[in-house]
Amino acid sequence: MSCNNCVDHSVYVTLHHEKLCKNCFIKYFERKVHKTMLKYKMIQKGEKIGVGLSGGKDSVSCLYLLKKFTGKQGNEIVAIAVDEGIHGYRDKTLVEAKAFCKEQKIPLEITSYKKEFGFTLDEYLRKHKVNPCGVCGVLRRYVLNKAARRLKVDKLATGHNLDDEAQSILMNQLKGNIGLSAKLGPITGVLMHDKFIPRLKPLYFMTEKETTIYSKVKGFHVSYNVCPNFGENFREQVGSNLNQLEMKFPGTKQGMVNSFLDILPELRKRFSKGQIGVCQECGEPASKKLCRVCSILQ
Amino acid sequence: MKIQELLEKIKANPVESVVSLNGEIVTEDAVAKDGDQVEIFSVVSGG
């Protein structure tokens, strides 16, 4: 089937039934990401931006577009990769990450669990029977935040997309953790702390399918491998169910995230009471005596 | 056969799939003929 705007074959059909060829899809995708960045005033002139880079489609697309959109206003961009120490997975995605940064002339800082904690994730999981994604997510956010601060970045962008956000909203709702949802949104955080680098999600309104198509039609050499620790966990189940709904009722995820954004200011008001202190053990931001990382490591 | 029918046959959710036909990304209404090379990529990154 041909593109609505030209004669080339279509690669994507939007929610509004618009068929787009490769070039028109690239324009659609980039315009939507740029609009999100402008709408939420994500980046100001002169700010230094760190981008969490895994070497996968989302973070690579995010990094590429941030460089493209901030080039003229002279923002300094630095990529930050975290090597968790997942044999056969992260070592491969880091090869892609390094190659991409070299090609795009973007400085890349690689930090690791081994350097920060003295162990790799593989070593930790051999000794502890835990939900790998739960532990890894906490450790990765901690390491990323510390690296971003060390590099003196003003904001830290990640490749989180619409699917990730819809999953998080529903997971918090189902688990009765509505307070955690106050930390979501295109610019995260409900309580500020000078040791906590604000997070941006430029791909906030792009679906996982759109990001996959974008990275493929742009010819990015990215890793499409799935982490070996990713299994039938809660997030995977919620994501799969949301995609079943999306197949039957297109627009479900978009509608859910839009509704969430309507109530987010109220949520933030309600959960902005209290203070972020510092962890007694490591001195990093924490809402309790110990931060989540130190609680896990004890 | 239409790509949409192919995805149904293998019980793949089109929301989670990107399909390439002879190396080009296509939409679900594209038709694959005998001898065509079809690749199906999962969009779920998980990690």
Side-chain angles (χ1 to χ4, degrees), chain A residues 275-295:
Chain A
Q275 273 187 321
I276 297 189
V278 288
C279 173
Q280 286 180 351
E281 200 67 40
C282 69
E284 288 298 303
S287 50
K288 295 178 182 168
K289 284 182 183 175
L290 289 182
C291 69
R292 289 183 71 195
V293 168
C294 290
S295 301

Side-chain angles (χ1 to χ4, degrees), chain A residues 4 12-20 25 28 210 250:
Chain A
N4 279 21
Y12 185 66
V13 184
T14 69
L15 272 180
H16 303 292
H17 311 290
E18 193 183 3
K19 297 180 184 74
L20 301 173
F25 173 77
Y28 154 85
E210 288 174 326

Side-chain angles (χ1 to χ4, degrees), chain A residues 131-150:
Chain A
N131 166 16
C133 299
V135 170
C136 190
V138 172
L139 300 183
R140 192 167 50 222
R141 280 191 292 274
Y142 179 94
V143 170
L144 258 181
N145 191 59
K146 278 186 89 169
R149 220 171 53 230
R150 203 166 50 241

Side-chain angles (χ1 to χ4, degrees), chain A residues 28-224:
Chain A
Y28 154 85
F29 189 96
E30 294 186 351
R31 202 181 299 134
K32 207 166 160 184
V33 174
H34 197 203
K35 208 173 144 188
T36 303
M37 289 169 63
L38 295 175
K39 181 176 178 183
Y40 292 97
K41 300 182 175 62
M42 287 187 171
I43 296 171
Q44 311 303 318
K45 206 174 172 181
E47 284 180 334
K48 183 175 179 181
I49 307 297
V51 183
L53 182 69
S54 67
K57 65 185 192 313
D58 301 302
S59 63
V60 164
S61 301
C62 179
L63 178 60
Y64 173 83
L65 289 174
L66 278 181
K67 191 187 174 214
K68 179 174 174 140
F69 294 139
T70 61
K72 282 180 189 164
Q73 60 178 46
N75 293 92
E76 191 181 342
I77 303 281
V78 56
I80 307 171
V82 179
D83 182 0
E84 303 93 341
I86 305 168
H87 182 67
Y89 172 67
R90 186 57 77 212
D91 38 358
K92 288 181 183 164
T93 69
L94 282 176
V95 172
E96 308 283 6
K98 283 179 199 167
F100 185 80
C101 288
K102 193 177 174 190
E103 182 191 299
Q104 296 290 322
K105 297 184 177 64
I106 298 170
L108 168 65
E109 168 86 3
I110 301 179
T111 181
S112 69
Y113 288 2
K114 190 79 178 176
K115 266 190 242 168
E116 188 67 41
F117 307 118
F119 56 78
T120 65
L121 186 68
D122 285 348
E123 288 165 354
Y124 183 83
L125 293 177
R126 273 197 288 273
K127 290 182 189 163
H128 302 86
K129 293 277 168 239
V130 291
N131 166 16
C133 299
V135 170
C136 190
V138 172
L139 300 183
R140 192 167 50 222
R141 280 191 292 274
Y142 179 94
V143 170
L144 258 181
N145 191 59
K146 278 186 89 169
R149 220 171 53 230
R150 203 166 50 241
L151 293 165
K152 295 186 168 45
V153 311
D154 297 294
K155 286 168 184 165
L156 182 59
T158 60
H160 286 93
N161 57 41
L162 186 88
D163 290 56
D164 298 320
E165 190 77 351
Q167 288 160 14
S168 297
I169 295 164
L170 189 53
M171 285 164 70
N172 291 340
Q173 191 83 22
L174 294 173
K175 290 253 185 183
N177 289 335
I178 196 73
L180 283 180
S181 287
K183 297 179 180 175
L184 298 174
I187 299 180
T188 62
V190 56
L191 294 169
M192 288 300 150
H193 189 284
D194 55 9
K195 281 191 163 182
F196 180 75
I197 308 296
R199 304 277 173 96
L200 314 172
K201 299 174 188 168
L203 306 184
Y204 193 81
F205 292 107
M206 311 317 296
T207 64
E208 194 140 39
K209 177 161 179 162
E210 288 174 326
T211 313
T212 305
I213 295 175
Y214 181 74
S215 70
K216 285 198 172 290
V217 295
K218 288 293 288 181
F220 295 149
H221 294 288
V222 301
S223 169
Y224 293 95

Side-chain angles (χ1 to χ4, degrees), chain B residues 1-12 14 27-32 40:
Chain B
M1 178 188 270
K2 266 194 176 183
I3 296 298
Q4 189 182 356
E5 292 162 354
L6 180 69
L7 291 175
E8 276 168 24
K9 203 170 176 181
I10 62 167
K11 295 187 170 53
T27 46
E28 281 87 52
D29 54 5
V31 178
I40 300 169

Side-chain angles (χ1 to χ4, degrees), chain A residues 1 9-13 57 89 208-209 212-213 216 226-227 230 243-244 246-247 253, chain B residues 12-18 24-30 41-47:
Chain A
M1 197 66 77
H9 86 268
S10 56
V11 299
Y12 185 66
V13 184
K57 65 185 192 313
Y89 172 67
E208 194 140 39
K209 177 161 179 162
T212 305
I213 295 175
K216 285 198 172 290
V226 174
C227 176
F230 183 72
N243 284 338
Q244 285 295 321
E246 183 74 32
M247 180 173 66
K253 288 182 285 192
Chain B
N13 184 343
V15 174
E16 296 178 341
S17 312
V18 169
E24 298 278 349
I25 304 292
V26 292
T27 46
E28 281 87 52
D29 54 5
F41 305 98
S42 169
V43 308
V44 180
S45 48

